[in-house]
Amino acid sequence: MTEADFIAALRDLPLHPAARGLVDDAAVLDAGPGLVLTKDMIAEGVHFLPGDPPGDVAWKLLAVNLSDLAAKGAAPIGVMLGYPLSDTGWDRAFLDGLGKAMRRFGCPLIGGDTIALPPGAPRTLSLTALGQTDRAPARGGACAGDALWVTGTIGDGGAGLAIAGGAAGPEALLRRYRRPVPRIAEGQALAHLAGAVMDVSDGLVIDARRMAAASGLAVTIDLSRIPLSAELKAFSGEDRAARLAAATAGDDYELLFALPAGAAPPVAATRIGRFGEGGGISLTDGADPVPVPGRAGFEHRA
Amino acid sequence: MTEADFIAALRDLPLHPAARGLVDDAAVLDAGPGLVLTKDMIAEGVHFLPGDPPGDVAWKLLAVNLSDLAAKGAAPIGVMLGYPLSDTGWDRAFLDGLGKAMRRFGCPLIGGDTIALPPGAPRTLSLTALGQTDRAPARGGACAGDALWVTGTIGDGGAGLAIAGGAAGPEALLRRYRRPVPRIAEGQALAHLAGAVMDVSDGLVIDARRMAAASGLAVTIDLSRIPLSAELKAFSGEDRAARLAAATAGDDYELLFALPAGAAPPVAATRIGRFGEGGGISLTDGADPVPVPGRAGFEHRA
């Protein structure tokens, strides 16, 4: 696809007024206090595979950035896209998925850049997302005694990754992996109440450990309380091994948050643990202590 | 370089308070009206060469984004960097050049993302720059009768590209190509006075034609008035062919702007042409008409 064709196709996506119709050299936006900014780059062969559906790549690129905004309690304003032009089929399918996700999440295009890559180079894409929040919870704002909560269900994304890799399993789990839905409304509802909020991208155990470390606290998670979907239970069971696998897989994009003990969250969520004095993470299965696995999640997924 | 080492090194760069010390998942910024956003991606083998000094790659990546901000009259707020980790020597030299440019232009880091690329993949980098302006001139705000002005000198970047490619020539021209200086102060001084402002990135002729097209006007440029540096005159002469070459080379990063006839600009600049009714671009050499060359600049440098 040529740059001119691609930019013409971008004009069919939801455009922010700041985009000035994509005819100018920069976007101009009337922003306010509490502007939240996050950026992700993804590379073919690392973050997605050449055979992945381009529309899913687009959806996920937008969704994971909006998940970072959600953790800050931010409503999406819009995104800046950095895109390498390639073959027309891939480009069109990418735009189709991007447009669907933009409409679904109410997040228009603000601007960006298109480039040519050297022949044969893996695609590398970049997205910068902007949002607005009244209060941005930090990663490190949990207090000793706070309860640890999580939205939705855990482990579906990891099972979806296995299915994408060839395992037999239901479409619903594959879809959780390829088309995650950021918890935008939940994040906004939590921003003024939760001491700390993070999205679960690298794995529940590692992300909870990061929240505890940033808060200068220890955290304990009860594996038996981790919410599993019916599809996941059917796919991988619900014994301790299955729960450990779910808690150390990534790509959930649920929100993990800390609330004072006894406080009820304003969103559907499950209480899975608590913060205490000290450091590190401990796991239990009901009352039984469980060793923390060596691989707690994607530790170095740069 | 590992991600942890790289992020530790980033903390030695000027950091915006919104960066939250690079320990959180997103940046939170108190912005206001007139937030200007621009984004560039560059790829090894297309926008720079594997043998280019990494510090120059970093400098230029920042400078060209700040040049887009300058055209909108914006003072830099900060940048979001998307960076592919590679060998330590390249990474350190890149950070050194980036830090020097950030300090020179008063533009701190707000946040970003580091990724791994597949082995052997060409580096692809992304930068999103944010600035603040009271008034952002459009590309298309010129009026019939306006004079066309340009800051600085034209053609030095193009000569520097030839020197980078092996031609014998002075260091000063190579430096103009590799370490351009965005016209930030000039852009702010022009924002309230000029009907239209653009930075000259792809070539004077093509960029002037774009400004005229966006304004629904014709433009005429007098080649004999194009400002050439003493170094460029010594390198390539100053006859009509040399002036045409200068006007169709890119990488100048000067500001091109429209002012009412008779108005004096508030910055050092040269009047090189005028806008009139109609469309397209015409060239003259003093009073003599000059055909517009087929290659007017980087038309499709995606």
Side-chain angles (χ1 to χ4, degrees):
Chain A
M1 211 162 173
T2 69
E3 184 180 20
D5 289 342
F6 189 81
I7 292 174
L10 285 177
R11 293 200 180 99
D12 290 334
L13 298 181
L15 292 188
H16 194 286
R20 296 184 164 195
L22 302 179
V23 298
D24 215 318
D25 304 296
V28 185
L29 178 72
D30 284 335
L35 180 73
V36 181
L37 294 144
T38 184
K39 181 180 184 108
D40 267 315
M41 276 184 98
I42 57 171
E44 196 173 49
V46 178
H47 306 86
F48 65 98
L49 298 175
D52 284 348
D56 290 345
V57 174
W59 178 290
K60 190 158 180 171
L61 177 60
L62 181 62
V64 303
N65 273 285
L66 298 189
S67 181
D68 279 328
L69 293 187
K72 297 291 162 218
I77 295 173
V79 293
M80 307 278 287
L81 173 68
Y83 188 80
L85 297 166
S86 61
D87 64 276
T88 299
W90 210 95
D91 292 344
R92 287 210 182 281
F94 179 88
L95 287 169
D96 182 65
L98 185 65
K100 283 193 169 76
M102 285 180 149
R103 289 182 186 96
R104 166 75 181 270
F105 305 134
C107 183
L109 187 69
I110 293 178
D113 192 21
T114 58
I115 64 165
L117 289 180
R123 293 176 179 89
T124 305
L125 297 94
S126 163
L127 198 83
T128 303
L130 287 79
Q132 196 88 39
T133 189
D134 291 333
R135 175 180 181 269
R139 184 192 264 214
C143 298
D146 277 0
L148 178 68
W149 296 77
V150 71
T151 59
T153 56
I154 292 295
D156 297 333
L161 172 61
I163 295 165
E171 177 67 23
L173 294 178
L174 181 62
R175 196 168 173 83
R176 270 294 300 268
Y177 172 67
R178 289 197 161 151
R179 300 225 168 189
V181 176
R183 295 289 189 180
I184 297 170
E186 289 85 348
Q188 291 175 255
L190 288 167
H192 285 272
L193 298 169
V197 185
M198 280 177 73
D199 71 325
V200 185
S201 55
D202 289 345
L204 179 65
V205 168
I206 194 167
D207 285 329
R209 190 163 67 188
R210 287 169 179 160
M211 183 182 279
S215 303
L217 297 172
V219 67
T220 303
I221 292 178
D222 181 349
L223 294 173
S224 74
R225 302 187 69 97
I226 291 179
L228 306 180
S229 69
E231 291 86 357
L232 187 71
K233 288 178 187 170
F235 179 74
S236 56
E238 52 182 310
D239 62 6
R240 185 182 295 182
R243 288 173 178 278
L244 265 175
T248 54
D251 289 301
D252 288 314
Y253 304 104
E254 296 294 348
L255 293 181
L256 190 66
F257 57 96
L259 280 188
V267 300
T270 306
R271 185 164 55 80
I272 58 169
R274 62 181 294 279
F275 292 92
E277 302 292 349
I281 190 164
S282 308
L283 301 179
T284 67
D285 185 357
D288 301 342
V290 175
V292 178
R295 183 186 167 288
F298 292 97
E299 287 235 41
H300 297 288
R301 184 168 59 173
Chain B
M1 210 162 175
T2 67
E3 184 180 19
D5 288 343
F6 190 81
I7 292 173
L10 285 177
R11 292 199 180 99
D12 290 334
L13 298 181
L15 291 188
H16 194 286
R20 296 184 163 194
L22 302 179
V23 298
D24 215 318
D25 304 297
V28 185
L29 177 73
D30 284 336
L35 180 73
V36 182
L37 295 144
T38 184
K39 181 180 184 109
D40 267 313
M41 277 184 100
I42 57 171
E44 195 171 49
V46 178
H47 305 86
F48 66 97
L49 298 175
D52 284 348
D56 290 345
V57 174
W59 178 290
K60 190 159 180 171
L61 178 61
L62 182 62
V64 303
N65 273 285
L66 298 189
S67 182
D68 279 329
L69 293 187
K72 297 291 163 220
I77 294 173
V79 294
M80 308 279 286
L81 173 69
Y83 188 80
L85 297 166
S86 61
D87 64 276
T88 299
W90 210 94
D91 292 344
R92 286 209 181 283
F94 179 89
L95 287 168
D96 181 67
L98 185 65
K100 284 193 169 76
M102 286 179 148
R103 289 182 186 96
R104 168 75 182 271
F105 305 134
C107 183
L109 187 69
I110 293 177
D113 192 22
T114 58
I115 64 165
L117 289 180
R123 292 176 179 90
T124 306
L125 297 94
S126 163
L127 199 83
T128 302
L130 287 80
Q132 196 87 40
T133 190
D134 290 332
R135 174 180 182 268
R139 185 191 263 213
C143 297
D146 279 1
L148 178 68
W149 295 77
V150 71
T151 59
T153 57
I154 291 296
D156 296 334
L161 172 61
I163 295 165
E171 177 67 23
L173 294 178
L174 181 62
R175 196 167 174 85
R176 270 294 300 268
Y177 172 68
R178 288 195 161 152
R179 300 224 169 189
V181 176
R183 295 287 189 182
I184 297 170
E186 290 84 348
Q188 291 175 255
L190 288 168
H192 285 272
L193 298 169
V197 185
M198 282 177 71
D199 71 324
V200 184
S201 55
D202 289 346
L204 179 64
V205 167
I206 194 166
D207 286 329
R209 190 163 68 189
R210 288 169 179 160
M211 183 181 280
S215 304
L217 296 174
V219 66
T220 303
I221 293 179
D222 181 349
L223 294 174
S224 73
R225 303 187 68 97
I226 291 178
L228 305 180
S229 70
E231 292 84 357
L232 187 69
K233 289 178 188 171
F235 178 73
S236 57
E238 52 183 310
D239 62 6
R240 186 182 294 181
R243 288 173 179 279
L244 265 176
T248 54
D251 290 301
D252 289 313
Y253 303 104
E254 297 293 348
L255 294 182
L256 189 66
F257 58 96
L259 280 189
V267 300
T270 306
R271 185 165 54 80
I272 58 169
R274 61 181 295 277
F275 291 93
E277 302 292 348
I281 191 166
S282 309
L283 301 179
T284 66
D285 185 357
D288 300 344
V290 174
V292 178
R295 183 187 168 287
F298 292 97
E299 288 234 42
H300 297 289
R301 183 167 61 173

